[in-house]
Amino acid sequence: MRHRLLLVALLTSVAGAASAQQAPAGCASALHRQFDFWAGNWTVTDSAGRVPYGQNTISIEEQGCLLHEHWTGSRGGTGQSVNFHSTSTKQWTQVWVGSDGTTLHLEGGLRGASMELQGAGLGSKGELTVERITWTPLPDGRVRQVWRQSTDGGTTWTVSFDGWYARQR
């Protein structure tokens, strides 16, 4: 009987160790795939494709739990963001850091076919500014990103960026 208990304990220990070494499941749900339309290597321009704004690479990382953005602007500025669906807030989150020291913390989610994220911070003159960025997948495979700002609590909005993403070949 004692040998059987030792054998059961040993097998349980081995099974526990094997399951602890298995890779985590990752983020494979449909909720985690909502922003995948933005993943890829992109050239970003105006709507006509004539004025170059920059290059953007968005990769899916951490077993599908993270979209990692690497931006290079046509005027030399760079920046990165991490984008993820937070299990605690039940929202999408973007944290951006630019080479000019600009930071953004945005939250939101899918609105129709568009991803819309919003957050508040201080503008260049110290005023409270609400930032709202919307990414919309287009039927031709491009993605349109519109960045709006409000300094009056969201009553009026000014477009600060309207970029059209075309996949690099």
Side-chain angles (χ1 to χ4, degrees), residues 59-161:
S59 56
I60 300 171
E61 299 177 12
E62 299 302 333
Q63 297 192 47
C65 297
L66 178 76
L67 285 173
H68 189 177
E69 173 188 18
H70 292 267
W71 168 258
T72 302
S74 60
R75 296 182 187 167
T78 60
Q80 295 184 43
S81 74
V82 291
N83 304 266
F84 56 92
H85 188 271
S86 170
T87 55
S88 60
T89 65
K90 308 291 187 219
Q91 295 188 66
W92 276 90
T93 299
Q94 180 181 88
V95 179
W96 161 269
V97 178
S99 61
D100 61 356
T102 302
T103 62
L104 290 173
H105 183 108
L106 310 171
E107 292 185 317
L110 208 57
R111 309 279 184 265
S114 300
M115 182 60 67
E116 184 177 285
L117 306 178
Q118 181 172 305
L122 294 179
S124 60
K125 299 173 187 164
E127 74 281 12
L128 181 63
T129 303
V130 181
E131 312 281 352
R132 178 184 295 158
I133 304 177
T134 304
W135 294 261
T136 304
L138 303 174
D140 64 3
R142 293 183 300 164
V143 172
R144 183 179 184 193
Q145 177 185 341
V146 179
W147 183 348
R148 294 177 176 86
Q149 296 178 316
S150 175
T151 56
D152 59 10
T155 302
T156 60
W157 294 90
T158 302
V159 173
S160 59
F161 181 79

